[in-house]
């Protein structure tokens, strides 16, 4: 797969999960990221933290009671799926994912300001945690999708955020 195709695929994933907010953030480069000594251009970097290192499938099971496969890293996001792929969770760093078109509510997670957003259908929830200027990234985001609204997807996304937040603070 060539790099243009890979970037289009990554951009499509960001569009589904986070809409235009993630796409706008995707093109940001950190200083000095123009290339390496080999002359090969480097991929834009959004966050110095690998989201798949923040939580494992075992951590998610402990936090939510749901069994997930190990995470798959895609850019600044890590995706976890249930064995039947009916439900998915994600953890990302450096991106604001809660878009204006969602029903939002301000919350607090482990002392940090956060916002949760859900679409009217209610089968998914996104949570953005503001980490502040002294953190390695400004935002930690989690999501839960494809879950019965009766199973409270925002409570699950919040539990994932609490678990991932502990990984950021370590």
């Amino acid at each position: 797969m060539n790099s243009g195709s890979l970037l289009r695929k990554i951009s499509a994933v960001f569009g589904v999960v986070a809409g235009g907010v993630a796409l706008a953030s995707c093109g940001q480069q950190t200083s000095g990221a123009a290339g390496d000594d080999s002359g090969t251009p480097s991929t834009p970097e959004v966050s110095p933290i690998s989201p798949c290192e923040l939580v494992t499938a075992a951590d998610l099971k402990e936090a939510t009671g749901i069994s997930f496969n190990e995470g798959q890293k895609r850019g600044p996001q890590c995706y976890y799926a249930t064995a039947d792929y009916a439900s998915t969770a994600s953890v990302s760093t450096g991106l604001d994912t809660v878009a204006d078109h969602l029903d939002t509510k301000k919350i607090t997670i482990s002392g940090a300001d956060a916002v949760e957003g859900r679409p009217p259908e209610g089968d998914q929830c996104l949570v953005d945690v503001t980490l502040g200027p002294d953190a390695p990234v400004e935002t930690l985001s989690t999501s839960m999708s494809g879950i019965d609204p009766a199973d409270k997807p925002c409570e699950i996304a919040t539990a994932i955020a609490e678990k991932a937040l502990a990984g950021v603070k370590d």
Side-chain angles (χ1 to χ4, degrees), residues 35-124:
D36 59 21
D37 292 334
S38 68
T40 305
S42 62
T43 304
E45 188 176 349
V46 176
S47 170
I49 299 173
S50 175
C52 291
E53 293 176 9
L54 295 177
V55 292
T56 64
D59 292 334
L60 293 180
K61 170 84 173 171
E62 180 183 322
T64 68
I66 300 170
S67 294
F68 290 95
N69 295 325
E70 285 302 320
Q72 300 293 314
K73 188 172 188 284
R74 294 183 184 125
Q77 298 181 331
C78 190
Y79 292 92
Y80 303 84
T82 54
D84 62 0
Y85 294 95
S87 299
T88 60
S90 71
V91 174
S92 63
T93 54
L95 300 174
D96 292 321
T97 60
V98 177
D100 293 337
H101 68 278
L102 300 174
D103 296 332
T104 61
K105 178 171 93 173
K106 291 184 179 188
I107 59 174
T108 302
I109 298 175
S110 300
D113 290 334
V115 62
E116 70 179 31
R118 72 174 77 206
E121 304 84 55
D123 67 341
Q124 83 177 70

Side-chain angles (χ1 to χ4, degrees), residues 119-137:
E121 304 84 55
D123 67 341
Q124 83 177 70
C125 186
L126 306 169
V127 174
D128 286 347
V129 182
T130 304
L131 302 177
D134 295 332
V137 293

